[in-house]
Amino acid sequence: MIGALGVGWKVWRAQWLSQPRLDALRSRLLTRTIAGAAALPFYQDMWRGVDSATVTDPTKLVSLPTITKADFRDRLDEITAPGFDENNTSVSYTSGSSGATMRLLHDLDSKQYYNAAWIRAHMAYGVKPHHRTAYFRFEAVSPGVTAKLRVFRNEFVPFTTGDEMMAHLRRIRPHVLGGYPSYLAELITMVPAEDLRSLGVRWVYAGAETMPAQLKWQLERIFDCPYVDMYGSTEFENMAFQCTHGTRHVSDDTMILEVVDDAGEPVGPGEVGDIVVTGLRNDAMPLIRYRIGDRGAWSDRPCECGRRFTVLPRLEGRTLEAVVTPSGRRYPVILLDEDLIHIETLFQFQVVQETIDTLTLNIVCAPGTEEETRVKAQKALVDVFEEPMNVTTKVVDSIPRSSGGKVKAIVPLPTRD
């Protein structure tokens, strides 16, 4: 337990390091990670003809190829370091957009660091050790050291009926309410707004799925408190967090995040590209220049909070999670809900692309407003596009989930092999 507290202090201090000291830390971690990966068959194959020993700082990562989950899905033994297996690591599974599961291993030291980074992420927007969190998810998270210390209490709420969930929430008396956006979207349709507001929640956070701006606005309105975005993944745990200034900071002490074009070349600040991540902590299964499947943009403008971690002002969600029109233009969620956000009776939506110019808009709305909301939502979506698109709007009770318990805001056209 003393060791865990020591790790917690290191994690907290890392965000306040001077730029030279942060750069030195990242270079040291990267050099060690590259050396370990270079001994693995998978990377020996991928890096053939490249001198990986020259990759000693983040700017030199561009000399290495990017990888995707498909590259190593069937080569997990070749990307796992000797001495590590399911008996001495933390095992997790990711489903991704395809729904096919894949086993991931994290060495126990890295898992401890990641857990502390999650606590740091919540403290960054104002959470204190005595605050209680209630969260909705497809399954409970295993309790850690903080549960034994009875600090940063984090309690799972089963998603059942509105009355049962409110009974749990009244018992917990949470300062923070969190979970997948889709669970929160269903919650606000099942429980009256005045009952939810009576809980006195101070913050609402969400992650794991793309958060439409319209749902964010609804949550802030109903709970009368700020919404906080958490960007994370099974592969790298907490990847970015928001401070009290509303700035999204990358966890620079656990990973190197690049924003690149299709060729893997870095793009400039403010330019949207694919997010590529290199883990700096996991010795069991190192992931180097991994295309995680999200898109975003970074900024070179520092935050007033004083943290020197990379700023990530824009996230567009999954790379494939976008409507593509006949002209080839991509419309991610961040563009689709620019007009939908103003419809107060619209609680949740999902856009299914049936053909290149045909969409189905599934909506969940306030009871008694079905036809009015359907008409407004259909017009708002049609007006987004700069070319003709056929839109059919359907009112549904809920949006279906994938095998991993998540909901896609956009179901794109199937990709061709």
Side-chain angles (χ1 to χ4, degrees):
M1 188 172 295
I2 294 176
L5 294 175
V7 170
W9 168 245
K10 289 181 181 179
V11 171
W12 176 257
R13 186 182 60 180
Q15 63 189 326
W16 305 113
L17 291 176
S18 66
Q19 195 63 58
R21 292 185 64 187
L22 179 59
D23 291 342
L25 171 65
R26 283 155 57 80
S27 293
R28 183 171 70 253
L29 292 171
L30 177 61
T31 300
R32 188 198 67 178
T33 299
I34 293 294
L40 302 178
F42 173 79
Y43 287 110
Q44 290 173 353
D45 182 22
M46 294 294 295
W47 296 348
R48 197 179 305 276
V50 179
D51 184 4
S52 62
T54 63
V55 182
T56 55
D57 68 68
T59 64
K60 297 178 181 177
L61 275 169
V62 68
S63 66
L64 302 177
T66 62
I67 63 172
T68 67
K69 188 182 300 183
D71 293 325
F72 61 87
R73 182 187 298 280
D74 298 323
R75 305 176 64 180
L76 295 182
D77 290 342
E78 297 181 19
I79 203 171
T80 303
F84 290 104
D85 56 34
E86 295 187 5
N87 297 315
N88 61 2
T89 60
S90 175
V91 183
S92 57
Y93 294 86
T94 178
S95 61
S97 57
S98 66
T101 60
M102 185 178 72
R103 184 204 66 192
L104 296 170
L105 303 181
H106 295 272
D107 68 77
L108 299 183
D109 286 342
S110 70
K111 190 66 177 179
Q112 188 177 58
Y113 200 96
Y114 290 147
N115 289 341
W118 272 112
I119 294 175
R120 175 181 67 191
H122 288 285
M123 293 181 70
Y125 64 81
V127 172
K128 306 296 183 185
H130 67 280
H131 286 155
R132 297 175 298 277
T133 297
Y135 68 94
F136 295 92
R137 199 171 176 268
F138 69 98
E139 64 182 0
V141 176
S142 300
V145 173
T146 56
K148 298 178 182 178
L149 297 175
R150 296 185 66 81
V151 295
F152 300 108
R153 292 172 60 186
N154 197 20
E155 189 161 343
F156 174 68
V157 178
F159 203 87
T160 53
T161 66
D163 289 342
E164 289 177 347
M165 289 187 289
M166 279 302 297
H168 282 294
L169 292 172
R170 289 193 177 103
R171 173 183 56 81
I172 298 168
R173 294 179 293 115
H175 300 86
V176 185
L177 187 66
Y180 289 2
S182 58
Y183 283 89
L184 298 176
E186 290 190 40
L187 177 69
I188 63 177
T189 67
M190 298 170 66
V191 179
E194 56 269 23
D195 290 349
L196 294 173
R197 194 174 295 114
S198 71
L199 294 170
V201 172
R202 299 187 189 180
W203 300 278
V204 175
Y205 81 87
E209 299 169 350
T210 301
M211 168 60 79
Q214 175 272 338
L215 177 56
K216 171 182 177 293
W217 179 83
Q218 289 282 12
L219 292 171
E220 290 182 328
R221 180 182 66 86
I222 290 172
F223 286 97
D224 192 26
C225 71
Y227 164 79
V228 179
D229 178 71
M230 288 288 178
Y231 179 38
S233 68
T234 305
E235 295 91 337
F236 303 102
E237 301 283 341
N238 178 252
M239 297 172 62
F241 56 91
Q242 282 187 322
C243 68
T244 54
H245 292 267
T247 302
R248 186 186 293 113
H249 298 270
V250 175
S251 297
D252 280 345
D253 57 333
T254 67
M255 64 185 203
I256 295 169
L257 184 147
E258 304 172 77
V259 182
V260 305
D261 59 20
D262 291 343
E265 295 290 330
V267 301
E271 186 176 348
V272 176
D274 293 343
I275 292 177
V276 171
V277 184
T278 296
L280 297 176
R281 296 285 175 178
N282 186 14
D283 294 334
M285 186 178 283
L287 297 178
I288 314 295
R289 299 207 82 203
Y290 173 61
R291 288 184 181 265
I292 197 164
D294 294 331
R295 288 175 62 82
W298 68 283
S299 172
D300 56 0
R301 298 181 62 182
C303 179
E304 295 179 5
C305 73
R307 292 176 176 84
R308 292 171 177 83
F309 283 179
T310 303
V311 172
L312 190 70
R314 180 163 178 164
L315 274 174
E316 289 193 351
R318 308 301 294 179
T319 304
L320 297 178
E321 198 171 280
V323 170
V324 180
T325 60
S327 67
R329 182 175 177 184
R330 298 179 73 260
Y331 287 82
V333 173
I334 196 172
L335 294 182
L336 295 189
D337 63 14
E338 286 182 344
D339 291 327
L340 292 172
I341 188 176
H342 301 295
I343 305 174
E344 294 189 13
T345 54
L346 176 61
F347 287 167
Q348 189 181 16
F349 72 86
Q350 180 187 64
V351 178
V352 181
Q353 184 158 16
E354 311 288 357
T355 68
I356 194 63
D357 63 353
T358 303
L359 307 173
T360 297
L361 173 62
N362 296 318
I363 63 170
V364 178
C365 55
T369 69
E370 289 83 359
E371 183 59 21
E372 174 188 358
T373 306
R374 185 192 67 79
V375 172
K376 289 182 179 179
Q378 178 156 331
K379 182 179 186 305
L381 185 60
V382 169
D383 289 347
V384 167
F385 302 105
E386 297 181 358
E387 56 196 288
M389 296 290 288
N390 301 309
V391 178
T392 299
T393 304
K394 296 181 179 178
V395 177
V396 298
D397 293 330
S398 63
I399 306 295
R401 302 181 186 280
S402 68
S403 58
K406 299 180 182 180
V407 166
K408 293 182 179 181
I410 297 177
V411 180
L413 282 174
T415 56
R416 295 180 180 179
D417 296 332

